[in-house]
Amino acid sequence: MKDFRKKLIEWLFEHSQHIYTQWFKHHKPWGIYRNELLSYPEHSFGRHLGSFLQNNNFELIAKVERHDAYHTLTGYGTKVEDEIALQCLCFGNGKRSPYLYGAMILGVAILPEYYVYYHKSYTIGKNANPFHQFDYKQLLYIDINDLRQAIFSEKQRQQLSFHTDDRIKTCSVKSMNLYASTS
């Protein structure tokens, strides 16, 4: 049953994204692609964003590039429950948008077993320095560790668990008892 509920949310995300960008996003797209980001300096935010995109076989989505920047900054994955938790973190940090409200309300209603994870994410966002409003395109050359240190406390960075692999630093959210249930 949980798999069906996750698939339902994925379907809703996929089908609402185009409508949302068309009706609510009126700014100019970044015009930057994954391969260009991968050529940025090793410790730059842009390089890490490129690595996130490559690891997930994504390209930036025009007009909502900031969303993947949030993934890169925070380490949240792309599973349905992680996407909802990321929205909760951003809400805690002060972000407000129709899409965020919809994702949070539907996510909590359809996948309530992750409530503890969502609430902890909200708390991290609420206690972090504001980051939801940044112009991330202007931060692509900034050292990612400096950026994270400016936003998150040491305790928050430990909760978000940034780790390295052989090619480039990547990150993922620790499950450290964040999920109420994982099955």
Side-chain angles (χ1 to χ4, degrees):
M1 186 64 168
K2 184 195 287 187
D3 287 340
F4 171 76
R5 290 181 288 137
K6 286 185 176 186
K7 295 264 186 235
L8 173 62
I9 292 174
E10 286 175 4
W11 185 88
L12 290 168
F13 282 162
E14 288 172 18
H15 289 84
S16 62
Q17 176 184 304
H18 177 71
I19 295 166
Y20 181 72
T21 57
Q22 184 178 2
W23 285 45
F24 293 98
K25 296 293 186 174
H26 304 292
H27 59 274
K28 188 175 177 183
W30 290 7
I32 299 174
Y33 297 93
R34 177 177 62 201
N35 286 337
E36 181 180 347
L37 292 167
L38 290 169
S39 71
Y40 278 49
E42 181 180 359
H43 298 289
S44 69
F45 181 67
R47 174 78 174 266
H48 285 258
L49 177 56
S51 180
F52 168 79
L53 296 169
Q54 183 175 27
N55 291 341
N56 290 286
N57 199 28
F58 293 160
E59 283 290 349
L60 288 173
I61 300 171
K63 298 184 180 182
V64 290
E65 298 91 346
R66 181 184 300 212
H67 179 78
D68 288 329
Y70 293 150
H71 276 286
T72 303
L73 178 67
T74 64
Y76 279 75
T78 59
K79 291 189 229 172
V80 170
E81 60 271 23
D82 296 331
E83 293 285 358
I84 297 162
L86 179 60
Q87 296 297 326
C88 293
L89 182 135
C90 291
F91 180 75
N93 198 252
K95 181 176 187 214
R96 302 293 185 263
S97 75
Y99 202 86
L100 176 139
Y101 290 128
M104 282 184 11
I105 291 166
L106 288 173
V108 172
I110 296 173
L111 291 172
E113 59 269 37
Y114 294 104
Y115 177 78
V116 171
Y117 180 31
Y118 303 152
H119 186 264
K120 286 187 178 187
S121 297
Y122 166 81
T123 302
I124 290 171
K126 184 166 182 60
N127 293 323
N129 290 320
F131 65 85
H132 71 277
Q133 79 290 2
F134 289 165
D135 181 351
Y136 286 94
K137 185 177 180 185
Q138 301 304 313
L139 301 176
L140 294 174
Y141 282 97
I142 299 290
D143 183 290
I144 191 163
N145 295 314
D146 292 344
L147 184 58
R148 288 175 176 152
Q149 286 176 6
I151 295 168
F152 302 109
S153 70
E154 179 63 32
K155 181 180 177 184
Q156 291 167 330
R157 290 193 309 276
Q158 289 172 359
Q159 288 175 309
L160 294 173
S161 178
F162 310 109
H163 65 277
T164 59
D165 67 19
D166 293 332
R167 295 180 318 261
I168 187 170
K169 287 185 179 183
T170 59
C171 52
S172 64
V173 175
K174 274 188 183 176
S175 61
M176 302 181 347
N177 299 320
L178 292 177
Y179 301 143
S181 167
T182 56
S183 57

